[in-house]
Amino acid sequence: VLTLTATPIPRKLYMGLTGVRDISMIQTAPEDRLPVITHVGAFDDRLVRQAVLREMERGGQVFVVHNRVGTIDHIRDRLEEIVPEARIIVGHGQMDERILENVMASFSTGEYDILLATSIIESGLDIPNANTLIVDRADWFGLAQMYQLRGRVGRGAQQAYAYFFHPANNKLTDEARARLETLSEYHALGSGYQIAMRDLELRGAGDILSTRQSGHVAAIGLHL
């Protein structure tokens, strides 16, 4: 079995570190790839407008991630107020399959400037023309998830930007603050391993074979 991952979950990384699984790393970045410039901070309308307009001026596109289907239309209204010049399309996992496919196709052919989506974009999506990522309520996301989201931009030779916005500092939990600090600290190419190590420190490894687990296994039970 060959597993390929940018950020192994804590238990898999722990299995690699203890020798239960073999681990090897590809540390050479693709040619012409640049590190993604990362900003972490409280939501700022002015910064959002500046980021979107900069991307549009160079002919690029923007991902905006808001991971709640119930309130995604409110975010669309807010984006239309902040950047009325931008053409916005919405995509999320509760849409009909064919409609979602059309949404993704329209965005990838450049008909829209902003794709406002849930975390469905976090893996497997490759749109080289999209080089700015804006994540609303980044404190809702895990560390590996945020790293995967950041990996959606900067896939070509263009300089990419990622903005991870959270509520005011006093509303953040200690764990959320630690996750966001880690993401802003490790932004060099190939930093997935360091981020995974920090994730292991923050969440613990769980056990390889026992009832004490972390992540999805804790929810469904190891026997299942």
Side-chain angles (χ1 to χ4, degrees):
V1 177
L2 173 67
T3 303
L4 291 170
T5 175
T7 48
I9 62 169
R11 191 160 44 98
K12 280 206 177 78
L13 179 58
Y14 180 65
M15 288 164 89
L17 295 172
T18 54
V20 175
R21 295 170 70 133
D22 290 327
I23 186 170
S24 59
M25 284 181 276
I26 300 170
Q27 291 183 301
T28 308
E31 208 174 333
D32 299 328
R33 186 69 61 90
L34 296 166
V36 178
I37 293 172
T38 304
H39 170 87
V40 175
F43 197 92
D44 182 341
D45 289 2
R46 186 183 48 81
L47 203 52
V48 169
R49 179 172 171 78
Q50 183 185 317
V52 172
L53 289 181
R54 179 183 54 224
E55 195 58 58
M56 286 170 65
E57 277 165 16
R58 61 181 186 176
Q61 293 164 287
V62 180
F63 292 122
V64 177
V65 177
H66 174 78
N67 208 26
R68 292 287 186 275
V69 173
T71 50
I72 203 164
D73 287 329
H74 298 311
I75 300 299
R76 180 187 186 144
D77 295 343
R78 189 167 177 189
L79 284 171
E80 284 173 346
E81 283 174 23
I82 297 169
V83 203
E85 304 92 325
R87 299 164 299 167
I88 303 166
I89 195 165
V90 176
H92 57 75
Q94 290 180 22
M95 285 178 154
D96 179 88
E97 212 173 293
R98 287 182 299 275
I99 294 172
L100 183 58
E101 197 177 326
N102 291 337
V103 164
M104 301 314 280
S106 301
F107 184 69
S108 60
T109 54
E111 290 175 43
Y112 293 90
D113 304 306
I114 296 175
L115 172 63
L116 170 58
T118 54
S119 62
I120 56 166
I121 68 160
E122 83 179 66
S123 57
L125 197 64
D126 190 3
I127 300 177
N129 198 43
N131 283 299
T132 294
L133 167 78
I134 296 168
V135 179
D136 179 40
R137 289 306 301 260
D139 54 310
W140 284 341
F141 292 93
L143 202 40
Q145 260 189 316
M146 288 192 280
Y147 184 75
Q148 288 284 3
L149 284 167
R150 186 167 66 180
R152 295 310 100 209
V153 294
R155 302 183 72 80
Q158 285 266 32
Q159 178 62 65
Y161 300 85
Y163 297 83
F164 292 89
F165 291 122
H166 57 75
N169 271 321
N170 59 357
K171 291 183 180 171
L172 283 180
T173 64
D174 290 343
E175 267 200 21
R177 188 177 287 106
R179 289 196 299 267
L180 290 162
E181 281 171 1
T182 301
L183 198 73
S184 60
E185 187 180 341
Y186 295 112
H187 51 78
L189 292 170
S191 56
Y193 182 72
Q194 285 91 344
I195 286 176
M197 287 291 282
R198 187 80 182 99
D199 200 18
L200 175 63
E201 281 174 36
L202 289 171
R203 289 203 285 161
D207 288 337
I208 295 167
L209 290 169
S210 90
T211 54
R212 192 176 69 88
Q213 296 295 334
S214 60
H216 293 304
V217 179
I220 63 170
L222 194 66
H223 62 284
L224 183 60

